[in-house]
PDB file of all heavy atoms in Angstrom:
ATOM      1  N   SER A   6     -64.108  42.861 -31.873  1.00  0.00           N
ATOM      2  CA  SER A   6     -64.087  43.811 -32.992  1.00  0.00           C
ATOM      3  C   SER A   6     -62.700  43.927 -33.607  1.00  0.00           C
ATOM      4  O   SER A   6     -62.530  44.539 -34.633  1.00  0.00           O
ATOM      5  CB  SER A   6     -64.488  45.181 -32.475  1.00  0.00           C
ATOM      6  OG  SER A   6     -63.565  45.603 -31.492  1.00  0.00           O
ATOM      7  N   PHE A   8     -60.434  45.482 -31.839  1.00  0.00           N
ATOM      8  CA  PHE A   8     -59.855  46.564 -31.033  1.00  0.00           C
ATOM      9  C   PHE A   8     -59.533  45.986 -29.666  1.00  0.00           C
ATOM     10  O   PHE A   8     -60.420  45.716 -28.858  1.00  0.00           O
ATOM     11  CB  PHE A   8     -60.820  47.752 -30.935  1.00  0.00           C
ATOM     12  CG  PHE A   8     -60.975  48.468 -32.242  1.00  0.00           C
ATOM     13  CD1 PHE A   8     -62.010  48.156 -33.101  1.00  0.00           C
ATOM     14  CD2 PHE A   8     -60.053  49.436 -32.635  1.00  0.00           C
ATOM     15  CE1 PHE A   8     -62.131  48.806 -34.333  1.00  0.00           C
ATOM     16  CE2 PHE A   8     -60.166  50.087 -33.855  1.00  0.00           C
ATOM     17  CZ  PHE A   8     -61.210  49.761 -34.700  1.00  0.00           C
ATOM     18  N   LEU A  13     -56.434  50.002 -26.448  1.00  0.00           N
ATOM     19  CA  LEU A  13     -57.246  51.165 -26.052  1.00  0.00           C
ATOM     20  C   LEU A  13     -56.715  51.760 -24.746  1.00  0.00           C
ATOM     21  O   LEU A  13     -56.686  52.980 -24.577  1.00  0.00           O
ATOM     22  CB  LEU A  13     -58.723  50.780 -25.919  1.00  0.00           C
ATOM     23  CG  LEU A  13     -59.412  50.327 -27.225  1.00  0.00           C
ATOM     24  CD1 LEU A  13     -60.893  50.044 -26.985  1.00  0.00           C
ATOM     25  CD2 LEU A  13     -59.250  51.356 -28.340  1.00  0.00           C
ATOM     26  N   ARG A  16     -53.527  53.810 -25.466  1.00  0.00           N
ATOM     27  CA  ARG A  16     -53.704  55.088 -26.151  1.00  0.00           C
ATOM     28  C   ARG A  16     -54.508  56.098 -25.333  1.00  0.00           C
ATOM     29  O   ARG A  16     -54.523  57.285 -25.658  1.00  0.00           O
ATOM     30  CB  ARG A  16     -54.327  54.894 -27.530  1.00  0.00           C
ATOM     31  CG  ARG A  16     -55.722  54.261 -27.532  1.00  0.00           C
ATOM     32  CD  ARG A  16     -56.309  54.195 -28.941  1.00  0.00           C
ATOM     33  NE  ARG A  16     -56.693  55.524 -29.413  1.00  0.00           N
ATOM     34  CZ  ARG A  16     -57.072  55.800 -30.666  1.00  0.00           C
ATOM     35  NH1 ARG A  16     -57.089  54.857 -31.578  1.00  0.00           N
ATOM     36  NH2 ARG A  16     -57.430  57.021 -31.016  1.00  0.00           N
ATOM     37  N   GLY A  48     -69.522  53.501 -30.374  1.00  0.00           N
ATOM     38  CA  GLY A  48     -68.205  52.848 -30.437  1.00  0.00           C
ATOM     39  C   GLY A  48     -67.400  53.196 -29.203  1.00  0.00           C
ATOM     40  O   GLY A  48     -66.245  53.628 -29.285  1.00  0.00           O
ATOM     41  N   CYS A  49     -68.026  52.970 -28.040  1.00  0.00           N
ATOM     42  CA  CYS A  49     -67.483  53.474 -26.757  1.00  0.00           C
ATOM     43  C   CYS A  49     -66.202  52.775 -26.323  1.00  0.00           C
ATOM     44  O   CYS A  49     -65.490  53.292 -25.459  1.00  0.00           O
ATOM     45  CB  CYS A  49     -68.537  53.302 -25.661  1.00  0.00           C
ATOM     46  SG  CYS A  49     -68.918  51.545 -25.359  1.00  0.00           S
ATOM     47  N   GLY A  50     -65.920  51.588 -26.889  1.00  0.00           N
ATOM     48  CA  GLY A  50     -64.734  50.854 -26.423  1.00  0.00           C
ATOM     49  C   GLY A  50     -64.836  50.593 -24.931  1.00  0.00           C
ATOM     50  O   GLY A  50     -65.845  50.070 -24.442  1.00  0.00           O
ATOM     51  N   SER A  53     -63.414  55.353 -22.548  1.00  0.00           N
ATOM     52  CA  SER A  53     -62.447  56.459 -22.490  1.00  0.00           C
ATOM     53  C   SER A  53     -63.108  57.828 -22.684  1.00  0.00           C
ATOM     54  O   SER A  53     -62.768  58.804 -22.004  1.00  0.00           O
ATOM     55  CB  SER A  53     -61.384  56.236 -23.569  1.00  0.00           C
ATOM     56  OG  SER A  53     -60.546  57.342 -23.699  1.00  0.00           O
ATOM     57  N   ASP A  72     -71.450  49.652 -28.198  1.00  0.00           N
ATOM     58  CA  ASP A  72     -70.319  49.084 -28.933  1.00  0.00           C
ATOM     59  C   ASP A  72     -70.751  47.710 -29.446  1.00  0.00           C
ATOM     60  O   ASP A  72     -71.641  47.072 -28.879  1.00  0.00           O
ATOM     61  CB  ASP A  72     -69.069  48.948 -28.045  1.00  0.00           C
ATOM     62  CG  ASP A  72     -67.782  48.942 -28.872  1.00  0.00           C
ATOM     63  OD1 ASP A  72     -67.465  47.891 -29.471  1.00  0.00           O
ATOM     64  OD2 ASP A  72     -67.102  49.993 -28.942  1.00  0.00           O
ATOM     65  N   GLY A  73     -70.074  47.253 -30.495  1.00  0.00           N
ATOM     66  CA  GLY A  73     -70.389  45.940 -31.044  1.00  0.00           C
ATOM     67  C   GLY A  73     -69.611  44.823 -30.384  1.00  0.00           C
ATOM     68  O   GLY A  73     -69.802  43.655 -30.730  1.00  0.00           O
ATOM     69  N   ASP A  74     -68.759  45.141 -29.449  1.00  0.00           N
ATOM     70  CA  ASP A  74     -67.824  44.164 -28.894  1.00  0.00           C
ATOM     71  C   ASP A  74     -68.129  43.943 -27.405  1.00  0.00           C
ATOM     72  O   ASP A  74     -67.922  44.838 -26.580  1.00  0.00           O
ATOM     73  CB  ASP A  74     -66.398  44.707 -29.086  1.00  0.00           C
ATOM     74  CG  ASP A  74     -65.324  43.699 -28.712  1.00  0.00           C
ATOM     75  OD1 ASP A  74     -65.557  42.906 -27.780  1.00  0.00           O
ATOM     76  OD2 ASP A  74     -64.264  43.722 -29.343  1.00  0.00           O
ATOM     77  N   LEU A  77     -65.189  44.478 -24.915  1.00  0.00           N
ATOM     78  CA  LEU A  77     -64.908  45.889 -24.595  1.00  0.00           C
ATOM     79  C   LEU A  77     -65.969  46.465 -23.662  1.00  0.00           C
ATOM     80  O   LEU A  77     -65.656  47.224 -22.735  1.00  0.00           O
ATOM     81  CB  LEU A  77     -64.806  46.718 -25.877  1.00  0.00           C
ATOM     82  CG  LEU A  77     -63.660  46.355 -26.826  1.00  0.00           C
ATOM     83  CD1 LEU A  77     -63.654  47.256 -28.050  1.00  0.00           C
ATOM     84  CD2 LEU A  77     -62.311  46.443 -26.115  1.00  0.00           C
ATOM     85  N   ALA A 115     -74.409  46.501 -29.803  1.00  0.00           N
ATOM     86  CA  ALA A 115     -75.139  46.625 -31.074  1.00  0.00           C
ATOM     87  C   ALA A 115     -74.161  46.913 -32.192  1.00  0.00           C
ATOM     88  O   ALA A 115     -73.123  47.554 -31.989  1.00  0.00           O
ATOM     89  CB  ALA A 115     -76.158  47.762 -30.991  1.00  0.00           C
ATOM     90  N   ASP A 116     -74.518  46.419 -33.379  1.00  0.00           N
ATOM     91  CA  ASP A 116     -73.766  46.760 -34.580  1.00  0.00           C
ATOM     92  C   ASP A 116     -74.319  48.091 -35.089  1.00  0.00           C
ATOM     93  O   ASP A 116     -75.500  48.179 -35.474  1.00  0.00           O
ATOM     94  CB  ASP A 116     -73.954  45.641 -35.618  1.00  0.00           C
ATOM     95  CG  ASP A 116     -73.168  45.918 -36.893  1.00  0.00           C
ATOM     96  OD1 ASP A 116     -72.695  47.061 -37.085  1.00  0.00           O
ATOM     97  OD2 ASP A 116     -73.042  44.987 -37.707  1.00  0.00           O
ATOM     98  N   LEU A 117     -73.489  49.107 -35.097  1.00  0.00           N
ATOM     99  CA  LEU A 117     -73.957  50.451 -35.464  1.00  0.00           C
ATOM    100  C   LEU A 117     -74.369  50.548 -36.925  1.00  0.00           C
ATOM    101  O   LEU A 117     -75.068  51.485 -37.311  1.00  0.00           O
ATOM    102  CB  LEU A 117     -72.865  51.488 -35.173  1.00  0.00           C
ATOM    103  CG  LEU A 117     -72.612  51.727 -33.688  1.00  0.00           C
ATOM    104  CD1 LEU A 117     -71.324  52.527 -33.484  1.00  0.00           C
ATOM    105  CD2 LEU A 117     -73.800  52.459 -33.061  1.00  0.00           C
ATOM    106  N   THR A 118     -73.954  49.585 -37.740  1.00  0.00           N
ATOM    107  CA  THR A 118     -74.389  49.623 -39.142  1.00  0.00           C
ATOM    108  C   THR A 118     -75.846  49.163 -39.258  1.00  0.00           C
ATOM    109  O   THR A 118     -76.490  49.422 -40.261  1.00  0.00           O
ATOM    110  CB  THR A 118     -73.509  48.734 -40.052  1.00  0.00           C
ATOM    111  OG1 THR A 118     -73.659  47.373 -39.649  1.00  0.00           O
ATOM    112  CG2 THR A 118     -72.044  49.133 -39.964  1.00  0.00           C
ATOM    113  N   ALA A 135     -65.601  58.838 -30.062  1.00  0.00           N
ATOM    114  CA  ALA A 135     -64.153  59.098 -30.050  1.00  0.00           C
ATOM    115  C   ALA A 135     -63.469  58.067 -30.924  1.00  0.00           C
ATOM    116  O   ALA A 135     -63.728  56.856 -30.797  1.00  0.00           O
ATOM    117  CB  ALA A 135     -63.617  59.026 -28.613  1.00  0.00           C
ATOM    118  N   ALA A 136     -62.597  58.536 -31.798  1.00  0.00           N
ATOM    119  CA  ALA A 136     -61.806  57.656 -32.661  1.00  0.00           C
ATOM    120  C   ALA A 136     -62.683  56.685 -33.438  1.00  0.00           C
ATOM    121  O   ALA A 136     -62.359  55.510 -33.583  1.00  0.00           O
ATOM    122  CB  ALA A 136     -60.760  56.886 -31.829  1.00  0.00           C
ATOM    123  N   LEU A 137     -63.814  57.176 -33.911  1.00  0.00           N
ATOM    124  CA  LEU A 137     -64.728  56.308 -34.674  1.00  0.00           C
ATOM    125  C   LEU A 137     -64.953  56.811 -36.105  1.00  0.00           C
ATOM    126  O   LEU A 137     -65.020  56.007 -37.036  1.00  0.00           O
ATOM    127  CB  LEU A 137     -66.093  56.208 -33.963  1.00  0.00           C
ATOM    128  CG  LEU A 137     -67.102  55.322 -34.694  1.00  0.00           C
ATOM    129  CD1 LEU A 137     -66.777  53.836 -34.459  1.00  0.00           C
ATOM    130  CD2 LEU A 137     -68.542  55.613 -34.296  1.00  0.00           C
ATOM    131  N   LEU A 140     -63.568  55.505 -39.378  1.00  0.00           N
ATOM    132  CA  LEU A 140     -63.912  54.134 -39.788  1.00  0.00           C
ATOM    133  C   LEU A 140     -65.190  54.078 -40.613  1.00  0.00           C
ATOM    134  O   LEU A 140     -65.465  53.078 -41.265  1.00  0.00           O
ATOM    135  CB  LEU A 140     -64.134  53.244 -38.548  1.00  0.00           C
ATOM    136  CG  LEU A 140     -63.033  53.144 -37.503  1.00  0.00           C
ATOM    137  CD1 LEU A 140     -63.486  52.235 -36.357  1.00  0.00           C
ATOM    138  CD2 LEU A 140     -61.763  52.584 -38.131  1.00  0.00           C
ATOM    139  N   PHE A 196     -68.449  49.612 -42.375  1.00  0.00           N
ATOM    140  CA  PHE A 196     -69.537  50.570 -42.611  1.00  0.00           C
ATOM    141  C   PHE A 196     -69.680  50.916 -44.101  1.00  0.00           C
ATOM    142  O   PHE A 196     -70.385  51.837 -44.449  1.00  0.00           O
ATOM    143  CB  PHE A 196     -69.260  51.882 -41.861  1.00  0.00           C
ATOM    144  CG  PHE A 196     -69.306  51.788 -40.360  1.00  0.00           C
ATOM    145  CD1 PHE A 196     -68.244  51.261 -39.636  1.00  0.00           C
ATOM    146  CD2 PHE A 196     -70.415  52.262 -39.662  1.00  0.00           C
ATOM    147  CE1 PHE A 196     -68.283  51.196 -38.250  1.00  0.00           C
ATOM    148  CE2 PHE A 196     -70.460  52.203 -38.274  1.00  0.00           C
ATOM    149  CZ  PHE A 196     -69.398  51.671 -37.566  1.00  0.00           C
TER     150      PHE A 196
HETATM  151  C1  LIG B 527     -60.797  53.000 -32.295  1.00  0.00           C
HETATM  152  S1  LIG B 527     -61.912  52.251 -31.231  1.00  0.00           S
HETATM  153  C2  LIG B 527     -62.371  53.616 -30.196  1.00  0.00           C
HETATM  154  C3  LIG B 527     -62.918  53.192 -28.872  1.00  0.00           C
HETATM  155  C4  LIG B 527     -63.243  54.323 -27.898  1.00  0.00           C
HETATM  156  N1  LIG B 527     -64.217  55.239 -28.448  1.00  0.00           N
HETATM  157  C5  LIG B 527     -61.988  55.068 -27.480  1.00  0.00           C
HETATM  158  O1  LIG B 527     -61.873  56.256 -27.788  1.00  0.00           O
HETATM  159  O2  LIG B 527     -61.133  54.450 -26.841  1.00  0.00           O
HETATM  160  C6  LIG B 527     -63.374  52.023 -32.250  1.00  0.00           C
HETATM  161  C7  LIG B 527     -64.534  51.368 -31.508  1.00  0.00           C
HETATM  162  O3  LIG B 527     -65.636  51.256 -32.404  1.00  0.00           O
HETATM  163  C8  LIG B 527     -66.254  49.986 -32.226  1.00  0.00           C
HETATM  164  N2  LIG B 527     -66.908  49.625 -33.480  1.00  0.00           N
HETATM  165  C9  LIG B 527     -66.327  49.516 -34.701  1.00  0.00           C
HETATM  166  N3  LIG B 527     -67.241  49.144 -35.612  1.00  0.00           N
HETATM  167  C10 LIG B 527     -68.428  49.021 -34.952  1.00  0.00           C
HETATM  168  C11 LIG B 527     -69.757  48.671 -35.354  1.00  0.00           C
HETATM  169  N4  LIG B 527     -70.054  48.366 -36.616  1.00  0.00           N
HETATM  170  N5  LIG B 527     -70.725  48.631 -34.404  1.00  0.00           N
HETATM  171  C12 LIG B 527     -70.440  48.940 -33.118  1.00  0.00           C
HETATM  172  N6  LIG B 527     -69.203  49.291 -32.681  1.00  0.00           N
HETATM  173  C13 LIG B 527     -68.213  49.321 -33.590  1.00  0.00           C
HETATM  174  C14 LIG B 527     -65.107  49.050 -31.861  1.00  0.00           C
HETATM  175  O4  LIG B 527     -65.562  47.886 -31.188  1.00  0.00           O
HETATM  176  C15 LIG B 527     -64.237  49.969 -31.000  1.00  0.00           C
HETATM  177  O5  LIG B 527     -64.606  49.894 -29.648  1.00  0.00           O
END
Side-chain angles (χ1 to χ4, degrees):
S6 61
F8 291 95
L13 296 183
R16 61 176 288 171
C49 64
S53 171
D72 204 282
D74 187 327
L77 296 181
D116 181 346
L117 290 168
T118 64
L137 180 77
L140 305 179
F196 293 78

